[in-house]
Amino acid sequence: MKLYSELGHLPGIAGCLQELAQRAISEGDFSSPVEWLEEARRICHQLGDLSQEGFIVGIFGRLAYWQGNYQQAYECFEESIQITERAGNYLAAPWMRTYKAYTLLQQGNLPQAKELFEICIQQFSNADYILVWYSLSKAWQA
């Protein structure tokens, strides 16, 4: 991150902060990531990178989930879905819906979780189709 900072490369700085936060969360550190995620989100917002900003909001959701704050997690995942879809990132949205469905399970809302998991399965199936189409279209352009 030091090199990105010296170069003033904001996307690199945001990416490093995001990675630090994810690693800390996976190691059970739930306090350090907040500051890193806030800074990364601020940078992405400044750059107009909605897709990355939406992903960072999803990490906030996972952080809240692991802290047992399921309502906050649900709200973060919902916000992340809205942001990533607005950015046209239709591959991230199914993941955020999956996390949201797990949050519903934790809240005891089995019918809504089941319904959301079914939507996720359909979206992942469509995403595979989109990836194949995108790969083929790029191959034809080469």
Side-chain angles (χ1 to χ4, degrees):
M1 188 161 84
K2 182 178 179 184
L3 180 59
Y4 287 132
S5 294
E6 289 173 5
L7 295 172
H9 189 267
L10 295 178
I13 294 168
C16 287
L17 291 168
Q18 173 187 316
E19 183 63 30
L20 281 170
Q22 289 186 104
R23 287 178 188 237
I25 292 167
S26 70
E27 294 172 3
D29 176 359
F30 300 143
S31 59
S32 301
V34 173
E35 183 179 324
W36 297 327
L37 290 171
E38 287 171 349
E39 179 65 12
R41 185 176 186 186
R42 186 191 62 72
I43 291 170
C44 290
H45 187 77
Q46 176 185 343
L47 294 172
D49 188 346
L50 282 177
S51 184
Q52 197 62 23
E53 183 179 351
F55 188 72
I56 291 167
V57 172
I59 297 170
F60 270 117
R62 290 198 307 272
L63 177 61
Y65 180 93
W66 289 114
Q67 291 175 312
N69 188 340
Y70 302 120
Q71 185 58 41
Q72 182 181 356
Y74 184 92
E75 292 167 7
C76 287
F77 295 137
E78 183 59 35
E79 182 182 1
S80 177
I81 292 165
Q82 291 173 10
I83 293 171
T84 55
E85 286 184 342
R86 194 169 59 237
N89 186 343
Y90 297 104
L91 300 177
W95 283 109
M96 295 306 135
R97 280 192 178 86
T98 302
Y99 299 138
K100 187 174 155 183
Y102 277 111
T103 301
L104 289 167
L105 280 177
Q106 290 295 330
Q107 293 174 318
N109 192 335
L110 300 180
Q112 194 175 359
K114 180 181 183 267
E115 181 181 320
L116 194 52
F117 277 126
E118 289 170 354
I119 291 169
C120 293
I121 290 168
Q122 184 62 44
Q123 287 184 327
F124 280 119
S125 296
N126 292 342
D128 278 346
Y129 173 77
I130 291 168
L131 285 174
V132 169
W133 177 84
Y134 179 78
S135 297
L136 290 173
S137 69
K138 287 296 182 188
W140 282 104
Q141 293 174 3

